[in-house]
Amino acid sequence: LQDGAVKPLAEEQVSVQRKCEQLMDALLMAAKTFCFYGRFVEALEAAEVACRGSERYIGKDSHVHLSALVSVGTCCALRGDFVAASKSFETAVDISDMVHGSTSAATAIIVCLLATSYCQHGDIATGISCLQRAQRIYATLLGRAEAVASQSIQSASPVTASQTALV
């Protein structure tokens, strides 16, 4: 193969992947719209198609697949199937750990959804454990935010006496 022949193929693959992402995003939007109108069966079907499609054509570790898993879990929870919701949220937490990191806000939010699902199907101890994990993540995030704020305050130029008089 010549170098020129490889580049168009790579560009075509990126274009196909982008089109798949757009299609999966559209399916997820349809799922949200169905939920808004209380049509949970159709919402779940659209979210499941987006989940399977994103896994197959985009990759398990993509943001689109993560969104699809959260949508599937949410639709299951809205239908009252908290065991299925928990399974979807568990997978979403694992992927969020890989994509965003185990101490990200995204992971904490999904862990809270998982906790709710566990509590709803009667596994209170696991639900509380999930809430404790989310609490640790939020504490870590708060600690980082405080450190950044403190550092920016310390690096600010000192206020002179003449500037203080103006205030």
Side-chain angles (χ1 to χ4, degrees):
L1 288 174
Q2 299 174 353
D3 289 339
V6 174
K7 188 174 181 180
L9 180 60
E11 289 174 4
E12 184 177 320
Q13 286 174 335
V14 169
S15 175
V16 168
Q17 181 173 352
R18 183 67 196 129
K19 287 177 183 174
C20 287
E21 288 173 356
Q22 291 170 344
L23 176 60
M24 298 310 129
D25 283 339
L27 283 166
L28 292 173
M29 185 57 70
K32 291 173 187 172
T33 303
F34 282 131
C35 280
F36 179 78
Y37 288 105
R39 298 183 63 183
F40 303 123
V41 172
E42 293 89 346
L44 181 58
E45 289 172 359
E48 286 175 338
V49 169
C51 191
R52 287 191 305 270
S54 62
E55 181 177 352
R56 182 173 179 186
Y57 297 109
I58 301 168
K60 283 185 176 182
D61 59 347
S62 70
H63 294 282
V64 176
H65 187 63
L66 181 58
S67 294
L69 284 166
V70 171
S71 292
V72 167
T74 302
C75 291
C76 289
L78 289 170
R79 291 183 61 202
D81 187 352
F82 296 105
V83 173
S86 296
K87 289 178 183 176
S88 186
F89 291 139
E90 285 171 358
T91 305
V93 167
D94 291 341
I95 291 173
S96 185
D97 283 346
M98 289 186 311
V99 172
H100 297 290
S102 62
T103 58
S104 70
T107 299
I109 291 166
I110 300 168
V111 169
C112 287
L113 294 170
L114 178 60
T116 301
S117 293
Y118 277 129
C119 289
Q120 288 295 324
H121 73 74
D123 191 348
I124 305 299
T126 305
I128 290 172
S129 175
C130 289
L131 288 175
Q132 289 169 338
R133 177 180 177 195
Q135 188 177 27
R136 287 190 301 273
I137 293 170
Y138 288 130
T140 300
L141 292 172
L142 181 61
R144 286 182 198 156
E146 288 175 346
V148 168
S150 174
Q151 188 177 32
S152 65
I153 289 171
Q154 291 173 356
S155 66
S157 61
V159 178
T160 64
S162 62
Q163 290 172 326
T164 306
L166 294 174
V167 177

